[in-house]
Amino acid sequence: CGLLLSAGRSAWCHFGWYMCSLSLFHYSEYLVTAINNPRSLSLDSFLLNHSFEYNLAALSSWVEFTLEKLLFPELKQITWLSTVGLLMVIFGDCLRKAAMLTAGSNFNHIVQNEKSDTHTLVTSGVYGWFRHPSYVGWFYWSIGTQVLLCNPICVVGYALASWRFFRERIEEEEITLIHFFGEEYLEYKRKVPSGLPFIKGVKVEL
């Protein structure tokens, strides 16, 4: 359906781009998990049931796009802005998948509370740029979908909601990583930024 809409010349063309981006994101989450860590593979790996809030956010973006298309059709025909959003989506998704592939079997959609025998601290590749490249990718992917749709309300809403979610998720994850790897992770944390604006991760009392 996304490809069919993308082939048209109406304002729905950009919604077609969005549908293709959304489908590719969720399918590739499953595919990369199948490659990296097949033991943890399940239908949940598609992330379609990520959370009630995630589904509500998606529904909100569809409603905003439809209403604004009816009331302000010219707002949905800003091709250069939709193209910027598409580039954000591509960058974000590629960064996230690069992080998943680099982490290999260390990557899991669920924060792990127990260290396995094969669990190692990954600091190479995109993890040399950011401590949490998969979250950085998802952050810009999510905002990019709303830039693509020219949804001004959801751009702000997605940015704030995603920032808050990842701030809390990063703090939770870093407590676990410090417990797993101790000084090795603290040294890595000092050298490499989180990658997300104004998020420094868990504070460590010395």
Side-chain angles (χ1 to χ4, degrees):
C1 291
L3 289 172
L4 289 173
L5 288 175
S6 299
R9 295 187 178 182
S10 69
W12 289 104
C13 169
H14 298 155
F15 195 83
W17 295 3
Y18 164 81
M19 290 181 68
C20 290
S21 302
L22 192 66
S23 300
L24 183 60
F25 174 82
H26 285 287
Y27 174 68
S28 58
E29 288 289 312
Y30 183 90
L31 179 63
V32 174
T33 302
I35 295 170
N36 270 353
N37 197 0
R39 288 180 297 178
S40 68
L41 190 67
S42 70
L43 289 177
D44 291 342
S45 302
F46 282 109
L47 293 187
L48 289 170
N49 58 345
H50 179 270
S51 65
F52 171 77
E53 292 78 8
Y54 181 81
N55 294 331
L56 181 62
L59 180 61
S60 299
S61 73
W62 305 341
V63 170
E64 181 182 352
F65 181 89
T66 303
L67 290 177
E68 290 174 351
K69 181 182 179 299
L70 294 173
L71 298 173
F72 315 105
E74 67 281 357
L75 179 63
K76 301 305 178 184
Q77 296 177 331
I78 309 175
T79 300
W80 70 265
L81 185 59
S82 291
T83 302
V84 170
L86 182 61
L87 292 174
M88 290 176 66
V89 164
I90 293 171
F91 165 77
D93 203 9
C94 286
L95 178 59
R96 178 168 172 82
K97 296 314 182 292
M100 293 173 70
L101 289 168
T102 301
S105 61
N106 292 289
F107 187 92
N108 199 303
H109 284 125
I110 301 172
V111 176
Q112 301 297 291
N113 295 316
E114 295 184 6
K115 183 181 178 183
S116 67
D117 294 337
T118 59
H119 204 164
T120 58
L121 179 62
V122 181
T123 60
S124 60
V126 290
Y127 286 87
W129 306 346
F130 313 119
R131 293 200 308 275
H132 302 279
S134 67
Y135 295 159
V136 176
W138 198 349
F139 178 76
Y140 287 108
W141 175 87
S142 66
I143 298 172
T145 60
Q146 300 312 298
V147 176
L148 189 161
L149 292 174
C150 299
N151 278 353
I153 297 174
C154 280
V155 164
V156 176
Y158 271 52
L160 293 176
S162 296
W163 185 88
R164 181 178 179 181
F165 172 79
F166 287 122
R167 182 194 63 183
E168 295 174 354
R169 182 70 174 257
I170 284 173
E171 289 183 357
E172 175 190 354
E173 187 170 300
E174 289 195 341
I175 290 172
T176 301
L177 289 168
I178 291 170
H179 176 69
F180 284 180
F181 301 107
E183 185 59 36
E184 184 183 5
Y185 185 79
L186 291 174
E187 182 63 21
Y188 172 62
K189 178 177 165 63
R190 284 191 285 268
K191 291 180 178 179
V192 181
S194 72
L196 290 167
F198 309 110
I199 295 180
K200 295 184 178 180
V202 67
K203 295 181 179 179
V204 181
E205 298 292 338
L206 299 177

